[in-house]
Amino acid sequence: MATAAVMSGNAANRGFLFRRLHTLSGVIPVGMFLLEHLFTNATATVGPGAYNNAVNAIQHIPFLHVVEFIFIFLPLIYHGVYGLYSAYTSGYNALQYTWARNQLFIWQRITGVITFVFIIYHLWATRFSGQEPNFEFVHNLVSQPANFIFMLVGVIAATFHFSNGLWSFFVHWGITVGARAQRVSAIVLLTLFVLLAAMGVVSLVAFVQGW
Amino acid sequence: MAATEKQLEQAKRTVRLIIERQKDANSEPYEEEFVVPYRAGMNVIAALMEIQRNPVNARGDATAPVTWESNCLEEVCGACTMVINGKPRQSCSALIDQLDQPIRIKPMRTFPVMRDLVVDRSRMFAALKKVKAWIPIDGTYDLGPGPRMAEAERQWAYELSKCFTCGACVEACPNVNEKQSFMGPFVISQARLFNTHPTGAMHKADRFEALMDEGGIHECGNAQNCVQVCPKGIPLTTSIAAMNRDINWFSLTRWLNR
């Protein structure tokens, strides 16, 4: 965290900087990558050829490993590990205070932990499996019921965490300030969650069905 | 005749209270139940005063009277805040007629409990001092009249000025806990109030710095319980988002201007 020391110039501001980097990294680039990933997967609904073409295009990005490390792995690890710490230090009082926003506060943390575990499994089963990523490989993977259920839970948790996290991002960055603006953004972003989750599930089903 | 019957009816009615008590700052809490006679229009403080008058619990055993703090009795001082039926609120404006019985009363455990329902809210005053929640007008010479404040701004700023440091928002906030040092929602709103005042704005940077420091604005997790429990309806979550905007801009430009 060399940038941290430079940016803060003051040890007391470190907490502020770490938190802000956490909300920022969740959207840029991790959230953007999630969207890209969901859209790539959705090409499976068009057919194996479309999916294999999309994967092939990604495989030909120049300096792929560097891009992947800087724009995906590094921010993802930071967001995930700091998020676990943040979930640990949060208090949980939704049994006493049952308002919707307080419930969502807890679900944000629950889905964060689920997504963290899911991503580790997901990376191990696909990215670091040593196998060629193509339609057939994914088809064989998700055709196993246990894998399918794990993928289903992972997709729903990740899309909820992204959509609800984006609501929080807009507050943390002072974009939605008033109560009305925050209410509207909640409706829009929960709709986004439903759409993204549906897209993820439909793609999963397309992988299972084959063609 | 009807009036007498009504009085008789009232004399039979009672109020059941289950109070979480504590002998002193270091002892373990325990629950004690009380049954006190009902009077029309009584509030929680009136019920506590009944216990003071006749310190006998529901089992008929003599006990130490319950201690609590109260002052104004009109919901403007914040001293009598306690957790009543699960929500932090002022016991002076908590009317018995509007509460489910048995009424469960607890001290605000976010703060150190001194005895029974008495808590030490010093941390709130320390937080106000940290963000300089005041307008400095003293000098070694006459500073003259300050700049005028726009009426449109004064109107909403007045709403923020209704904060009486009661502690309800601090009690309800999940991120004010023993694992982190968040100062609480109220102090962010107070910093915004004094930043809005044209004279107070001269110390804007100090308040931003204080809110970027440990326990500052970044420890808010947007659970938004604060705005729900605030007895004065202060738009605390709006204040937090507005200060987020100012502070992010402040920290970013300060870094780029160096």
Side-chain angles (χ1 to χ4, degrees):
Chain A
M1 287 294 125
T3 47
V6 175
M7 256 182 103
S8 66
N10 171 0
N13 290 348
R14 214 169 280 158
F16 175 81
L17 183 72
F18 286 170
R19 289 269 180 187
R20 286 295 178 262
L21 279 179
H22 178 244
T23 70
L24 183 66
S25 62
V27 178
I28 303 165
V30 176
M32 296 301 113
F33 170 69
L34 175 73
L35 290 179
E36 184 281 317
H37 190 31
L38 286 168
F39 276 106
T40 305
N41 287 351
T43 57
T45 61
V46 181
Y51 178 74
N52 287 338
N53 281 342
V55 171
N56 199 37
I58 293 170
Q59 296 287 318
H60 288 90
I61 291 174
F63 313 112
L64 182 61
H65 289 301
V66 178
V67 170
E68 189 184 44
F69 184 76
I70 293 176
F71 292 99
I72 303 174
F73 288 146
L74 212 56
L76 190 61
I77 290 167
Y78 177 74
H79 186 79
V81 172
Y82 196 87
L84 286 181
Y85 165 74
S86 163
Y88 168 73
T89 59
S90 288
Y92 298 90
N93 59 15
L95 291 177
Q96 187 181 356
Y97 306 105
T98 53
W99 295 299
R101 191 35 69 189
N102 196 31
Q103 307 267 5
L104 291 171
F105 170 88
I106 290 178
W107 279 106
Q108 183 66 9
R109 281 143 186 81
I110 293 173
T111 54
V113 173
I114 293 174
T115 306
F116 188 89
V117 174
F118 168 73
I119 290 173
I120 291 173
Y121 158 81
H122 183 41
L123 285 172
W124 171 76
T126 56
R127 173 65 181 81
F128 297 110
S129 66
Q131 308 233 32
E132 177 99 6
N134 57 33
F135 191 92
E136 198 191 343
F137 166 66
V138 182
H139 169 74
N140 292 335
L141 191 74
V142 297
S143 294
Q144 294 163 341
N147 274 333
F148 181 79
I149 289 167
F150 206 65
M151 288 283 191
L152 197 69
V153 172
V155 160
I156 292 169
T159 50
F160 175 86
H161 190 78
F162 170 69
S163 309
N164 192 51
L166 201 52
W167 178 88
S168 228
F169 173 88
F170 288 146
V171 179
H172 280 308
W173 290 88
I175 296 164
T176 50
V177 170
R180 183 201 56 87
Q182 292 180 6
R183 208 164 41 241
V184 171
S185 91
I187 293 166
V188 170
L189 291 166
L190 286 176
T191 310
L192 179 74
F193 157 59
V194 173
L195 293 174
L196 290 179
M199 188 167 88
V201 172
V202 168
S203 311
L204 258 182
V205 172
F207 276 118
V208 176
Q209 284 174 336
W211 210 263
Chain B
M1 187 65 183
T4 329
E5 268 174 31
K6 205 179 169 192
Q7 278 166 5
L8 277 171
E9 183 61 34
Q10 277 191 5
K12 277 184 282 180
R13 277 180 71 181
T14 54
V15 180
R16 277 183 67 209
L17 306 126
I18 298 173
I19 302 175
E20 190 177 279
R21 307 192 57 182
Q22 193 169 315
K23 282 197 175 67
D24 56 58
N26 302 312
S27 62
E28 286 297 306
Y30 63 98
E31 277 190 349
E32 196 163 23
E33 193 170 337
F34 295 90
V35 178
V36 301
Y38 171 87
R39 270 179 296 120
M42 75 195 296
N43 59 7
V44 166
I45 288 183
L48 292 173
M49 287 168 91
E50 272 310 325
I51 297 171
Q52 211 173 33
R53 209 168 286 134
N54 179 28
V56 173
N57 66 23
R59 287 184 304 178
D61 300 334
T63 184
V66 177
T67 52
W68 78 94
E69 282 187 316
S70 62
N71 188 14
C72 75
L73 303 180
E74 54 179 5
E75 207 190 67
V76 292
C77 80
C80 69
T81 313
M82 47 189 80
V83 181
I84 300 168
N85 283 351
K87 300 287 182 295
R89 55 185 297 190
Q90 283 72 54
S91 44
C92 62
S93 53
L95 302 179
I96 299 293
D97 288 335
Q98 293 165 5
L99 294 169
D100 290 334
Q101 289 192 40
I103 300 164
R104 292 179 182 273
I105 304 176
K106 294 176 179 185
M108 292 193 287
R109 293 224 166 258
T110 262
F111 302 100
V113 175
M114 306 316 288
R115 178 181 171 146
D116 291 340
L117 303 169
V118 180
V119 298
D120 176 4
R121 291 176 300 157
S122 323
R123 57 168 292 167
M124 295 184 78
F125 301 102
L128 289 172
K129 281 188 267 182
K130 186 167 179 179
V131 304
K132 300 191 178 172
W134 58 77
I135 291 164
I137 52 166
D138 293 332
T140 51
Y141 59 95
D142 183 5
L143 297 172
R148 284 179 60 82
M149 185 170 189
E151 173 61 14
E153 295 228 279
R154 186 206 61 79
Q155 281 190 4
W156 65 255
Y158 178 70
E159 298 303 317
L160 308 191
S161 76
K162 288 179 180 172
C163 176
F164 49 43
T165 331
C166 71
C169 63
V170 185
E171 170 72 15
C173 178
N175 273 9
V176 175
N177 60 46
E178 64 286 352
K179 288 188 199 137
Q180 53 191 339
S181 51
F182 186 35
M183 289 187 283
F186 73 102
V187 78
I188 299 167
S189 191
Q190 286 300 293
R192 182 179 177 223
L193 169 67
F194 292 106
N195 276 2
T196 304
H197 190 280
T199 308
M202 294 171 188
H203 290 75
K204 244 182 186 176
D206 291 347
R207 298 194 189 92
F208 290 151
E209 294 256 19
L211 287 176
M212 288 165 65
D213 203 344
E214 206 193 333
I217 194 166
H218 48 285
E219 297 195 14
C220 165
N222 292 323
Q224 300 204 333
N225 290 342
C226 54
V227 77
Q228 301 274 5
V229 298
C230 178
K232 293 291 144 186
I234 297 168
L236 291 163
T237 49
T238 301
S239 283
I240 291 169
M243 288 300 274
N244 269 330
R245 179 185 285 178
D246 289 353
I247 290 172
N248 288 345
W249 187 249
F250 169 78
S251 63
L252 193 66
T253 50
R254 189 182 57 167
W255 178 56
L256 293 173
N257 290 347
R258 245 178 219 156

